[in-house]
Amino acid sequence: MDHELYTVQSPSEDIKDGPDHAEFIYKMSNEEFVRFVKLRVTNDSLFTGKRNSSTLAYRAILKELGLQREISASQARRKWENLKMKYKELKNPPPGVSVNPTNWPWFSLMDDAMEGRLAGSEVTLDTSTVGDDSEYRPNNTTRRRSKRAREPDRSEIELFVEEDDMMSEEMGRDRAELDRDRDEMEHERAILESDKAAIEYERMVLEREKMVLDRERAGVERELAALDRDRASLEREKAAVERDRASVEYIRAQLEKERAILDRERAKLERERAILEQQRGTEKGEQTANLNDNTEGTDTSIPLVMEPASLERRQKFLNLFEKLIENF
């Protein structure tokens, strides 16, 4: 509601001048309007909610503006409430309604006021210096009643209709705000339900993933147990191999010793064979000479014939033993 169209047409509740009704019409100037808004915001601490605190605070504001004889406290209160209501409608329009706040010339001023940017922009007032009630009775012009004084005049009827319309409008706006709040709550509830469903779905997914991980962990644990068993088996086999290797090493050492002994025996046999060959050549010459002298022979020829055979057997035995060692 533009303040330039705001008129006060009501018998003020601050006036008790008898049966005559009064009609007041006052239009604030732009300067007075701006100061009114700034004073209301700066002195917001005066509106404590206690009894008569609002009336005293508005009287202090009107006195500072010099309008205490032009506007009553109740009219100033309604004016401020109407300004706030219009600002809220332009600031937060109903869903689907497009508005342009700049069409209202006082939107920027009210926006600064409601956002707290005008706090401290005017003087701070004190309700203790408000004064007597008689100082805040707006000027009025009494009218004598005609013969039809009992019937309400046209201004009173328009006032009542206007006030009823204003109350209906305020109730409609309150209902609209309640509807918007309800719609917002329903929207938030729907969002919460959606978030809840998403969380439940994520929880189910996590449960399935946990089950899969548990199965995989059980499989890994079984594989680790199998690996441990295989490792233990390998350790046992390794120990057996080490024992076999030690045994083979021991047997090899024994065979090396026996081979060394055989080598010594072979060398000894070779020496004995060489001696026997030498003796055999010498004895053959002697036997040939003796046979010519004595056909019966001597007893020494027998061991010479038998000794080579024994040597041959012994040589074969050594050869077989060497092959056995080599194959092992």
Side-chain angles (χ1 to χ4, degrees):
M1 180 183 295
D2 195 335
H3 85 284
E4 294 180 351
L5 301 179
Y6 177 81
T7 59
V8 181
Q9 299 179 349
S10 64
S12 173
E13 61 186 22
D14 295 339
I15 300 174
K16 299 178 181 179
D17 291 336
D20 293 335
H21 297 285
E23 179 178 337
F24 308 103
I25 301 175
Y26 182 80
K27 182 173 67 175
M28 284 186 181
S29 65
N30 292 344
E31 182 180 355
E32 290 173 341
F33 179 78
V34 172
R35 288 203 63 201
F36 172 76
V37 173
K38 291 182 178 181
L39 286 169
R40 176 60 179 81
V41 174
T42 302
N43 295 277
D44 188 65
S45 60
L46 298 178
F47 298 85
T48 60
K50 296 181 180 180
R51 185 177 181 182
N52 295 328
S53 62
S54 176
T55 300
L56 294 176
Y58 277 114
R59 285 180 176 180
I61 292 173
L62 293 173
K63 184 177 180 179
E64 178 66 23
L65 291 173
L67 301 178
Q68 69 274 20
R69 304 294 294 180
E70 304 294 339
I71 303 176
S72 67
S74 61
Q75 293 165 353
R77 179 171 54 252
R78 285 198 299 270
K79 183 173 182 64
W80 176 251
E81 294 299 327
N82 291 337
L83 290 172
K84 288 197 304 181
M85 186 177 300
K86 182 162 186 178
Y87 167 76
K88 291 179 180 179
E89 289 178 353
L90 295 176
K91 184 73 173 180
N92 300 305
V97 178
S98 177
V99 296
N100 185 7
T102 59
N103 290 336
W104 188 38
W106 306 111
F107 178 80
S108 178
L109 177 65
M110 288 301 298
D111 188 57
D112 292 338
M114 301 306 294
E115 295 296 332
R117 290 188 288 270
L118 295 182
S121 60
E122 270 289 346
V123 296
T124 303
L125 304 177
D126 186 4
T127 57
S128 61
T129 60
V130 169
D132 187 70
D133 292 347
S134 61
E135 299 180 5
Y136 299 91
R137 293 182 179 179
N139 297 321
N140 59 346
T141 57
T142 60
R143 295 180 180 179
R144 294 183 178 181
R145 294 191 178 189
S146 62
K147 295 181 180 180
R148 299 182 181 180
R150 294 182 181 180
E151 297 180 1
D153 59 6
R154 183 177 179 182
S155 60
E156 290 183 74
I157 297 174
E158 291 177 352
L159 168 64
F160 297 148
V161 173
E162 182 180 357
E163 289 182 351
D164 292 340
D165 293 341
M166 184 179 297
M167 293 179 62
S168 300
E169 184 178 358
E170 290 179 357
M171 292 177 63
R173 290 171 180 173
D174 293 338
R175 187 178 296 108
E177 290 181 359
L178 291 175
D179 292 338
R180 286 197 299 271
D181 294 339
R182 184 179 61 187
D183 294 338
E184 291 178 358
M185 291 179 63
E186 292 294 335
H187 181 65
E188 292 177 358
R189 182 181 298 175
I191 293 174
L192 291 175
E193 292 293 335
S194 177
D195 293 341
K196 182 179 179 180
I199 291 173
E200 290 294 332
Y201 177 75
E202 291 178 358
R203 187 176 64 82
M204 293 176 60
V205 172
L206 290 175
E207 290 292 337
R208 288 196 295 268
E209 292 179 353
K210 182 180 179 183
M211 293 175 60
V212 173
L213 290 175
D214 291 338
R215 288 196 295 269
E216 292 179 353
R217 182 175 61 185
V220 170
E221 290 177 354
R222 288 194 297 270
E223 291 178 358
L224 289 175
L227 289 175
D228 291 336
R229 290 193 297 271
D230 294 341
R231 183 182 298 171
S233 177
L234 289 174
E235 293 293 336
R236 291 193 296 271
E237 291 179 359
K238 182 179 179 180
V241 169
E242 292 294 334
R243 290 194 298 270
D244 294 340
R245 181 181 296 173
S247 177
V248 169
E249 292 294 335
Y250 176 76
I251 294 172
R252 181 178 294 173
Q254 294 296 325
L255 290 176
E256 291 294 335
K257 291 179 181 179
E258 291 180 359
R259 178 177 293 176
I261 294 172
L262 287 175
D263 290 337
R264 289 195 297 271
E265 292 291 334
R266 180 179 294 175
K268 184 177 179 180
L269 287 174
E270 291 295 334
R271 288 194 299 272
E272 290 177 355
R273 179 180 294 177
I275 293 171
L276 287 175
E277 291 294 335
Q278 186 178 3
Q279 290 178 357
R280 183 182 296 175
T282 303
E283 289 176 356
K284 283 183 180 181
E286 291 177 357
Q287 287 177 0
T288 303
N290 291 330
L291 286 174
N292 293 329
D293 295 333
N294 187 6
T295 56
E296 295 179 357
T298 63
D299 295 335
T300 57
S301 62
I302 296 173
L304 291 175
V305 173
M306 295 300 293
E307 187 67 21
S310 178
L311 290 172
E312 291 293 334
R313 286 195 300 275
R314 190 172 182 181
Q315 182 65 32
K316 289 180 180 180
F317 175 74
L318 290 173
N319 292 334
L320 289 173
F321 191 74
E322 286 181 355
K323 290 180 180 180
L324 177 64
I325 292 173
E326 291 176 356
N327 291 330
F328 183 77

